[in-house]
Amino acid sequence: MSSIPVPAGMPAAEPSAAALKWRALAESLVPAAAALVLTVLLFSAAVALAGFNAFEVWGLIVLGGFGDAFAWQNTLQRAAPLILTGLAVALPAQAGRVIIGNEGALVLGGLAAAAFGNVLASAQAGAWLVWPAMAIAGALAGGIWIGLVGLLREKREVNETIASLLMSFIAIALFNQCVETVLRDPASLNKPSTKPLPDALLLPTMPGLDVHYGLLLGLLVALAAWAVMRFTPLGLALRVAGGNARTALGVGLPVVKLTIGACAAGGACAGLAGAVEVAAVHGAANASLIAGYGYTGILIAFAARFSPAGVVPVAILVGGIAASGSLLQRRLGLPDAAVTVLLGFAFVALIACETLRGRQFFKASK
Amino acid sequence: MTDASALGWWGVPLAILGGAIRVGTPLLWVSLGETVTEKAGRINLGLEGTLLMGAMTAFAVSLASGNPWLGCLAAAGVGVLLGMLHGALCSLNRVNDTAMGIALMLAGSGLAFWLGKPLIQPSAPGLPAIALGGWSDVAAVKASLAINPLFAIGLVLAFATHWALGRTRFGLRLRVVGDSENAARAFGLSPTAYRIAATAFGGACAGVGGASLSLVYPGAWSEALSSGQGVMAVALVIFARWDPRRCVLAGLLFGGASAISPALQALGYSQGYYLLAALPYALTLAVLIGLGKPGPSHGAPGELSLNR
């Protein structure tokens, strides 16, 4: 906004390449550091006001999230679906689309996976056929659902943020209807569920770890997404389409296909998260799937600045904080909602500190 | 719901009307507030957190003071604070209002659950109902026509807001800010100030909506109190096409749709119970698909990021 006009004939002093590099690094680190300080101050004040020792609370958060092998496994277990729901927002965002309704794609993915898994299980199919089939069913269900949102945006100019939210409510209603009626296991009395998968078909834990294979799947998808965005013409095309649609059209890129594809890919990630939760955690599709992973994914993607690689550490951090909740409750009697407050403060601080980026003091030449 | 079956089929429209008002009141308040916020060109997706904080505060203050109206006032106050926080943070450069809303939703609901932990058991004095069904001696009629006082106030406020937006100097300026930031600057208006004020008003309304949940219906504090009414606000505003008067209709329709299923179930019809709950969303989506890109002729504010 405030560019200082340079008088003609007086070339501005160009900062050296090294100085530019340092400034770029500072610009990427300062907002995160400021957000960290702000979060620590705010949450410490909150726990102190509630009559707890803030140092003790922070110690237990670190211990409960990352203190030992058990804590790490708990953390990674929670991070697995969050990596996928984070990608579900980050991928469409690369093409300039803000999707906030992935909760719906997640539950539909879980439902499709549970339904297909049961059909194949009753046909005596082996695990190595059932698992891929469940993953594909989940990804397809989520991908079609959010792909539809992308289609509405391109064809009818319906805002994707709102449409995805509306579609999420519709998806949850559809999910409840199916779980309560046609797909309901008559044996599930208090908590309507689909038929549980046979134990042999539950996704096992990885060798030597108490974390299921869903984590590996999430990491692989994130790696693939990062590689596509970073190294392929497709990734470049997506970023051009997201950055400036007119330029993209001008150079002959299929913008409509690219953006719908990015939305569908994001939805597929959310659907996959639902399939993994069913196959590895719940064993059936029921209301436990509606746990807010879709909403947390939005914040994770924003905090990672929509980078597919950045989603992974942020999701692990969030998983760790969530995992520390039970330790805080056991040791100090701090309610589990305290962890939600901490995450809320952290995301408010992170999003607010974005304002530090692009400020003049990172650019001003001496 | 046994009363409804005693009335036979007549019980259905009656139960729907009663349910529409009961469930629709918080929706009316939340959407009314969000309409004003969006008219100024901002979107606040964090009203779910404000609603829960309002519900918890109203319940706590009513419990401590014995006066439910004081509870409502306190809820509105907390709403103003949360709204101003959203408004102020989003006026910083590069801060995304969509993401900030969701972050505040998380922070607000977490705080409400944390502070509300000791409030789950006790019962606080609720707001007295306006008994419009006094003429009848059928219990179901009486129950359905016991009007939530906050519905009556919300109804008046909806028309007052419509008048204020259309006829007062402040309302006109607020709409200029929402329609074109450049025009607003040319008139010497500060978009930031108007947007913070509009978001604070939105927060206050959402707080009162929360009070309606904890002090009228269901009339107690629990963590499952809100079933996403705060997030629905965004859909309601589009359905009402940014008209405060239509917020009343939108609230009643969304509330009524969730009352159809239980009313029919009381009569033994339980087909499509859950799909009916999706009806308002499907209708809103249909409205959007029909409109295409909402423009000024639909009352849509031009500066709203969602309309660009």
Side-chain angles (χ1 to χ4, degrees):
Chain A
M1 290 293 276
S2 56
S3 61
I4 303 151
V6 178
M10 250 182 73
E14 284 292 326
S16 70
L20 280 177
K21 215 171 167 183
W22 278 112
R23 275 186 200 138
L25 189 66
E27 189 173 359
S28 64
L29 289 182
V30 165
L36 182 70
V37 171
L38 208 59
T39 308
V40 169
L41 287 179
L42 281 173
F43 189 67
S44 299
V47 289
L49 279 176
F52 296 92
N53 178 342
F55 292 102
E56 207 175 353
V57 170
W58 284 109
L60 286 178
I61 288 171
V62 175
L63 206 66
F66 311 98
D68 54 19
F70 175 78
W72 267 102
Q73 287 172 0
N74 196 351
T75 295
L76 293 176
Q77 185 101 348
R78 286 164 192 267
L82 294 177
I83 293 175
L84 287 168
T85 53
L87 286 173
V89 179
L91 292 180
Q94 296 281 354
R97 296 287 173 257
V98 183
I99 301 283
I100 61 170
N102 283 310
E103 192 86 357
L106 185 147
V107 298
L108 286 186
L111 186 69
F116 267 80
N118 274 319
V119 168
L120 288 173
S122 56
Q124 307 296 325
W128 294 108
L129 180 66
V130 176
W131 289 332
M134 284 178 73
I136 291 170
L140 270 181
I144 291 172
W145 198 251
I146 302 296
L148 217 55
V149 172
L151 186 75
L152 282 177
R153 167 72 200 227
E154 296 305 323
K155 297 296 174 200
R156 294 289 312 168
E157 288 197 79
V158 176
N159 177 274
E160 77 282 1
T161 309
I162 294 299
S164 67
L165 189 66
L166 295 171
M167 295 272 285
S168 170
F169 286 121
I170 296 171
I172 289 171
L174 262 176
F175 173 83
N176 284 332
Q177 184 73 37
C178 289
V179 171
E180 297 268 355
T181 57
V182 283
L183 293 175
R184 179 170 183 171
D185 174 19
S188 62
L189 294 175
N190 293 330
K191 189 176 193 180
S193 285
T194 58
K195 217 168 126 232
L197 290 171
D199 285 346
L201 290 181
L202 287 180
L203 208 56
T205 56
M206 292 185 278
L209 276 175
D210 200 19
V211 185
H212 59 73
Y213 274 98
L215 175 70
L216 184 67
L217 188 64
L219 289 175
L220 287 176
V221 174
L223 184 70
W226 171 76
V228 167
M229 291 308 301
R230 185 97 166 70
F231 298 116
T232 67
L234 177 66
L236 180 65
L238 255 178
R239 275 179 289 152
V240 174
N244 189 331
R246 198 168 293 170
T247 311
L249 282 172
V251 295
L253 289 174
V255 174
V256 171
K257 277 185 194 157
L258 281 171
T259 43
I260 295 177
C263 289
C269 289
L272 202 56
V276 167
E277 285 296 288
V278 165
V281 182
H282 305 302
N286 56 39
S288 306
L289 269 181
I290 313 169
Y293 289 138
Y295 289 107
T296 313
I298 304 166
L299 295 169
I300 290 175
F302 268 91
R305 312 196 75 236
F306 309 130
S307 142
V311 160
V312 174
V314 180
I316 292 175
L317 194 63
V318 171
I321 293 174
S324 70
S326 57
L327 189 67
L328 286 172
Q329 201 167 12
R330 267 202 320 274
R331 291 271 187 89
L332 301 178
L334 202 64
D336 47 357
V339 166
T340 315
V341 172
L342 171 56
L343 284 176
F345 283 1
F347 283 121
V348 169
L350 263 171
I351 292 162
C353 287
E354 275 297 295
T355 191
L356 296 176
R357 217 176 283 274
R359 292 266 161 164
Q360 206 59 42
F361 51 76
F362 292 122
K363 297 199 170 70
S365 53
K366 283 187 181 163
Chain B
M1 279 302 148
T2 45
D3 289 333
S5 52
L7 280 176
W9 278 102
W10 278 110
V12 175
L14 201 61
I16 293 173
L17 178 71
I21 293 177
R22 256 197 316 273
V23 183
T25 302
L27 294 176
L28 160 63
W29 279 89
V30 171
S31 61
L32 192 57
E34 181 72 7
T35 297
V36 174
T37 304
E38 290 191 17
K39 272 289 185 191
R42 273 274 166 70
I43 182 161
N44 185 359
L45 283 175
L47 291 184
E48 178 78 12
T50 314
L51 190 83
L52 283 164
M53 276 300 280
M56 190 277 298
T57 309
F59 193 81
V61 171
S62 171
L63 185 69
S65 69
N67 185 348
W69 292 106
L70 214 57
C72 282
L73 211 62
V78 166
V80 166
L81 289 181
L82 283 171
M84 281 174 72
L85 184 67
H86 183 280
L89 288 177
C90 291
S91 47
L92 296 171
N93 224 349
R94 284 174 181 248
V95 174
N96 181 293
D97 54 357
T98 309
M100 182 54 81
I102 292 166
L104 279 174
M105 172 165 95
L106 196 65
S109 47
L111 268 180
F113 294 161
W114 187 356
L115 298 172
K117 268 280 178 305
L119 303 174
I120 290 176
Q121 283 301 327
S123 74
L127 290 169
I130 304 171
L132 288 185
W135 47 270
S136 166
D137 29 64
V138 181
V141 176
K142 275 189 178 167
S144 294
L145 294 181
I147 303 296
N148 180 344
L150 289 178
F151 178 75
I153 300 174
L155 196 66
V156 174
L157 186 66
F159 282 89
T161 308
H162 172 72
W163 174 80
L165 279 177
R167 290 277 180 274
T168 65
R169 187 178 292 231
F170 183 81
L172 204 66
R173 287 176 170 169
L174 189 122
R175 284 188 297 138
V176 170
V177 165
D179 268 332
S180 163
E181 216 170 302
N182 288 338
R185 289 229 166 80
F187 285 128
L189 303 174
S190 152
T192 304
Y194 279 90
R195 285 186 184 146
I196 292 177
T199 319
F201 178 79
C205 286
V208 176
S212 161
L213 283 174
S214 64
L215 296 180
V216 184
Y217 180 81
W221 165 251
S222 83
E223 296 192 356
L225 191 61
S226 160
S227 42
Q229 281 101 328
V231 193
M232 285 180 202
V234 185
L236 281 150
V237 172
I238 297 169
F239 198 81
R241 282 195 264 153
W242 296 275
D243 184 333
R245 295 170 302 176
R246 290 205 206 105
C247 285
V248 180
L249 280 179
L252 286 177
L253 183 86
F254 273 56
S258 58
I260 292 175
S261 311
L264 284 176
Q265 209 181 32
L267 289 173
Y269 291 85
S270 57
Q271 303 272 306
Y273 183 104
Y274 291 91
L275 282 185
L276 271 173
L279 191 65
Y281 304 106
L283 277 176
T284 309
L285 193 61
V287 167
L288 271 180
I289 294 171
L291 286 183
K293 193 175 181 174
S297 61
H298 308 115
E303 285 288 332
L304 197 66
S305 55
L306 299 175
N307 292 335
R308 283 200 233 130

